[in-house]
mmCIF file of all heavy atoms in Angstrom:
data_model
loop_
_atom_site.group_PDB
_atom_site.id
_atom_site.type_symbol
_atom_site.label_atom_id
_atom_site.label_comp_id
_atom_site.label_asym_id
_atom_site.label_seq_id
_atom_site.Cartn_x
_atom_site.Cartn_y
_atom_site.Cartn_z
ATOM 1 N N TRP A 17 96.360 90.873 111.029
ATOM 2 C CA TRP A 17 97.130 91.482 112.110
ATOM 3 C C TRP A 17 96.356 92.658 112.715
ATOM 4 O O TRP A 17 96.268 92.810 113.939
ATOM 5 C CB TRP A 17 98.481 91.934 111.571
ATOM 6 C CG TRP A 17 99.506 92.340 112.596
ATOM 7 C CD1 TRP A 17 99.360 92.361 113.963
ATOM 8 C CD2 TRP A 17 100.836 92.772 112.332
ATOM 9 N NE1 TRP A 17 100.511 92.784 114.549
ATOM 10 C CE2 TRP A 17 101.447 93.049 113.579
ATOM 11 C CE3 TRP A 17 101.567 92.956 111.167
ATOM 12 C CZ2 TRP A 17 102.755 93.501 113.682
ATOM 13 C CZ3 TRP A 17 102.866 93.394 111.273
ATOM 14 C CH2 TRP A 17 103.454 93.665 112.511
ATOM 15 N N LEU A 18 95.776 93.487 111.857
ATOM 16 C CA LEU A 18 95.037 94.658 112.338
ATOM 17 C C LEU A 18 93.755 94.256 113.081
ATOM 18 O O LEU A 18 93.302 94.986 113.963
ATOM 19 C CB LEU A 18 94.703 95.595 111.171
ATOM 20 C CG LEU A 18 95.911 96.265 110.508
ATOM 21 C CD1 LEU A 18 95.479 97.003 109.256
ATOM 22 C CD2 LEU A 18 96.621 97.200 111.483
ATOM 23 N N GLU A 19 93.181 93.105 112.715
ATOM 24 C CA GLU A 19 91.950 92.637 113.354
ATOM 25 C C GLU A 19 92.219 91.868 114.646
ATOM 26 O O GLU A 19 91.311 91.663 115.446
ATOM 27 C CB GLU A 19 91.176 91.727 112.383
ATOM 28 C CG GLU A 19 90.693 92.433 111.128
ATOM 29 C CD GLU A 19 89.584 93.430 111.406
ATOM 30 O OE1 GLU A 19 88.629 93.065 112.128
ATOM 31 O OE2 GLU A 19 89.670 94.573 110.920
ATOM 32 N N ALA A 20 93.459 91.438 114.848
ATOM 33 C CA ALA A 20 93.800 90.583 115.990
ATOM 34 C C ALA A 20 93.875 91.389 117.285
ATOM 35 O O ALA A 20 94.017 92.608 117.275
ATOM 36 C CB ALA A 20 95.136 89.891 115.737
ATOM 37 N N GLU A 21 93.800 90.658 118.381
ATOM 38 C CA GLU A 21 94.004 91.270 119.692
ATOM 39 C C GLU A 21 95.476 91.641 119.834
ATOM 40 O O GLU A 21 96.332 91.079 119.181
ATOM 41 C CB GLU A 21 93.627 90.270 120.792
ATOM 42 C CG GLU A 21 92.160 89.888 120.815
ATOM 43 C CD GLU A 21 91.266 91.031 121.249
ATOM 44 O OE1 GLU A 21 91.658 91.801 122.133
ATOM 45 O OE2 GLU A 21 90.158 91.155 120.683
ATOM 46 N N GLY A 22 95.743 92.554 120.720
ATOM 47 C CA GLY A 22 97.135 92.912 120.979
ATOM 48 C C GLY A 22 97.530 94.211 120.306
ATOM 49 O O GLY A 22 96.699 94.946 119.770
ATOM 50 N N MET A 23 98.819 94.487 120.317
ATOM 51 C CA MET A 23 99.355 95.739 119.803
ATOM 52 C C MET A 23 99.379 95.729 118.270
ATOM 53 O O MET A 23 100.092 94.942 117.665
ATOM 54 C CB MET A 23 100.777 95.944 120.337
ATOM 55 C CG MET A 23 101.465 97.186 119.800
ATOM 56 S SD MET A 23 100.758 98.742 120.364
ATOM 57 C CE MET A 23 101.327 98.755 122.050
ATOM 58 N N PRO A 24 98.590 96.614 117.657
ATOM 59 C CA PRO A 24 98.646 96.683 116.189
ATOM 60 C C PRO A 24 99.932 97.371 115.738
ATOM 61 O O PRO A 24 100.538 98.127 116.505
ATOM 62 C CB PRO A 24 97.424 97.528 115.832
ATOM 63 C CG PRO A 24 97.217 98.404 117.023
ATOM 64 C CD PRO A 24 97.660 97.582 118.216
ATOM 65 N N PRO A 25 100.342 97.135 114.510
ATOM 66 C CA PRO A 25 101.532 97.824 114.012
ATOM 67 C C PRO A 25 101.232 99.302 113.775
ATOM 68 O O PRO A 25 100.071 99.696 113.614
ATOM 69 C CB PRO A 25 101.820 97.112 112.683
ATOM 70 C CG PRO A 25 100.478 96.639 112.230
ATOM 71 C CD PRO A 25 99.736 96.271 113.493
ATOM 72 N N ARG A 26 102.282 100.108 113.744
ATOM 73 C CA ARG A 26 102.161 101.525 113.375
ATOM 74 C C ARG A 26 102.181 101.563 111.863
ATOM 75 O O ARG A 26 103.123 101.070 111.232
ATOM 76 C CB ARG A 26 103.342 102.314 113.957
ATOM 77 C CG ARG A 26 103.295 103.788 113.684
ATOM 78 C CD ARG A 26 102.177 104.404 114.514
ATOM 79 N NE ARG A 26 102.304 105.842 114.581
ATOM 80 C CZ ARG A 26 101.357 106.668 114.114
ATOM 81 N NH1 ARG A 26 100.270 106.204 113.565
ATOM 82 N NH2 ARG A 26 101.522 107.960 114.223
ATOM 83 N N LEU A 27 101.154 102.117 111.244
ATOM 84 C CA LEU A 27 101.069 102.188 109.790
ATOM 85 C C LEU A 27 101.607 103.527 109.306
ATOM 86 O O LEU A 27 101.212 104.576 109.809
ATOM 87 C CB LEU A 27 99.623 102.026 109.333
ATOM 88 C CG LEU A 27 98.947 100.711 109.717
ATOM 89 C CD1 LEU A 27 97.462 100.773 109.376
ATOM 90 C CD2 LEU A 27 99.611 99.548 109.027
ATOM 91 N N ILE A 28 102.492 103.477 108.320
ATOM 92 C CA ILE A 28 103.038 104.689 107.714
ATOM 93 C C ILE A 28 102.759 104.631 106.219
ATOM 94 O O ILE A 28 103.143 103.686 105.537
ATOM 95 C CB ILE A 28 104.549 104.829 107.955
ATOM 96 C CG1 ILE A 28 104.836 104.910 109.459
ATOM 97 C CG2 ILE A 28 105.097 106.057 107.220
ATOM 98 C CD1 ILE A 28 106.317 104.994 109.794
ATOM 99 N N ASP A 29 102.077 105.654 105.720
ATOM 100 C CA ASP A 29 101.729 105.755 104.303
ATOM 101 C C ASP A 29 102.597 106.841 103.687
ATOM 102 O O ASP A 29 102.547 107.993 104.110
ATOM 103 C CB ASP A 29 100.244 106.109 104.167
ATOM 104 C CG ASP A 29 99.708 105.921 102.769
ATOM 105 O OD1 ASP A 29 100.478 106.118 101.795
ATOM 106 O OD2 ASP A 29 98.514 105.607 102.634
ATOM 107 N N VAL A 30 103.421 106.472 102.695
ATOM 108 C CA VAL A 30 104.357 107.425 102.098
ATOM 109 C C VAL A 30 103.857 108.003 100.772
ATOM 110 O O VAL A 30 104.601 108.685 100.078
ATOM 111 C CB VAL A 30 105.767 106.802 101.914
ATOM 112 C CG1 VAL A 30 106.352 106.395 103.251
ATOM 113 C CG2 VAL A 30 105.742 105.627 100.950
ATOM 114 N N ARG A 31 102.585 107.750 100.453
ATOM 115 C CA ARG A 31 102.042 108.278 99.205
ATOM 116 C C ARG A 31 101.811 109.789 99.312
ATOM 117 O O ARG A 31 101.822 110.366 100.388
ATOM 118 C CB ARG A 31 100.730 107.578 98.850
ATOM 119 C CG ARG A 31 100.914 106.095 98.571
ATOM 120 C CD ARG A 31 99.599 105.397 98.299
ATOM 121 N NE ARG A 31 98.738 105.449 99.487
ATOM 122 C CZ ARG A 31 97.400 105.433 99.446
ATOM 123 N NH1 ARG A 31 96.772 105.383 98.290
ATOM 124 N NH2 ARG A 31 96.699 105.463 100.564
ATOM 125 N N GLU A 32 101.558 110.385 98.163
ATOM 126 C CA GLU A 32 101.314 111.824 98.103
ATOM 127 C C GLU A 32 99.869 112.141 98.503
ATOM 128 O O GLU A 32 99.001 111.274 98.481
ATOM 129 C CB GLU A 32 101.602 112.336 96.681
ATOM 130 C CG GLU A 32 103.026 112.085 96.221
ATOM 131 C CD GLU A 32 104.072 112.681 97.171
ATOM 132 O OE1 GLU A 32 103.900 113.840 97.602
ATOM 133 O OE2 GLU A 32 105.051 111.982 97.488
ATOM 134 N N ASP A 33 99.628 113.407 98.851
ATOM 135 C CA ASP A 33 98.288 113.846 99.263
ATOM 136 C C ASP A 33 97.226 113.463 98.238
ATOM 137 O O ASP A 33 96.152 112.979 98.597
ATOM 138 C CB ASP A 33 98.247 115.370 99.461
ATOM 139 C CG ASP A 33 99.090 115.819 100.641
ATOM 140 O OD1 ASP A 33 99.295 115.020 101.574
ATOM 141 O OD2 ASP A 33 99.531 116.984 100.631
ATOM 142 N N SER A 34 97.536 113.675 96.959
ATOM 143 C CA SER A 34 96.556 113.388 95.906
ATOM 144 C C SER A 34 96.200 111.907 95.862
ATOM 145 O O SER A 34 95.062 111.538 95.562
ATOM 146 C CB SER A 34 97.079 113.848 94.541
ATOM 147 O OG SER A 34 98.306 113.194 94.241
ATOM 148 N N GLU A 35 97.151 111.049 96.176
ATOM 149 C CA GLU A 35 96.886 109.607 96.194
ATOM 150 C C GLU A 35 95.984 109.241 97.370
ATOM 151 O O GLU A 35 95.096 108.396 97.244
ATOM 152 C CB GLU A 35 98.200 108.824 96.277
ATOM 153 C CG GLU A 35 99.060 108.942 95.031
ATOM 154 C CD GLU A 35 100.366 108.211 95.197
ATOM 155 O OE1 GLU A 35 101.293 108.775 95.823
ATOM 156 O OE2 GLU A 35 100.461 107.068 94.716
ATOM 157 N N LEU A 36 96.212 109.864 98.512
ATOM 158 C CA LEU A 36 95.376 109.583 99.680
ATOM 159 C C LEU A 36 93.944 110.066 99.467
ATOM 160 O O LEU A 36 93.004 109.459 99.965
ATOM 161 C CB LEU A 36 95.961 110.229 100.940
ATOM 162 C CG LEU A 36 96.840 109.308 101.778
ATOM 163 C CD1 LEU A 36 98.076 108.889 101.041
ATOM 164 C CD2 LEU A 36 97.175 109.949 103.094
ATOM 165 N N GLU A 37 93.798 111.158 98.716
ATOM 166 C CA GLU A 37 92.449 111.646 98.418
ATOM 167 C C GLU A 37 91.676 110.626 97.584
ATOM 168 O O GLU A 37 90.489 110.431 97.791
ATOM 169 C CB GLU A 37 92.525 112.987 97.684
ATOM 170 C CG GLU A 37 92.981 114.123 98.573
ATOM 171 C CD GLU A 37 93.271 115.395 97.795
ATOM 172 O OE1 GLU A 37 92.852 115.503 96.616
ATOM 173 O OE2 GLU A 37 93.926 116.294 98.367
ATOM 174 N N VAL A 38 92.349 109.957 96.662
ATOM 175 C CA VAL A 38 91.706 108.967 95.795
ATOM 176 C C VAL A 38 91.436 107.669 96.538
ATOM 177 O O VAL A 38 90.348 107.100 96.454
ATOM 178 C CB VAL A 38 92.590 108.681 94.548
ATOM 179 C CG1 VAL A 38 92.040 107.515 93.745
ATOM 180 C CG2 VAL A 38 92.710 109.921 93.685
ATOM 181 N N ALA A 39 92.439 107.197 97.271
ATOM 182 C CA ALA A 39 92.339 105.877 97.899
ATOM 183 C C ALA A 39 92.986 105.881 99.287
ATOM 184 O O ALA A 39 94.085 105.368 99.456
ATOM 185 C CB ALA A 39 93.009 104.829 97.007
#
Side-chain angles (χ1 to χ4, degrees):
W17 191 359
L18 293 172
E19 296 290 313
E21 295 291 323
M23 177 68 73
R26 182 71 164 119
L27 300 172
I28 299 178
D29 194 328
V30 299
R31 296 177 296 152
E32 301 304 315
D33 293 334
S34 59
E35 293 177 279
L36 265 64
E37 289 171 15
V38 172

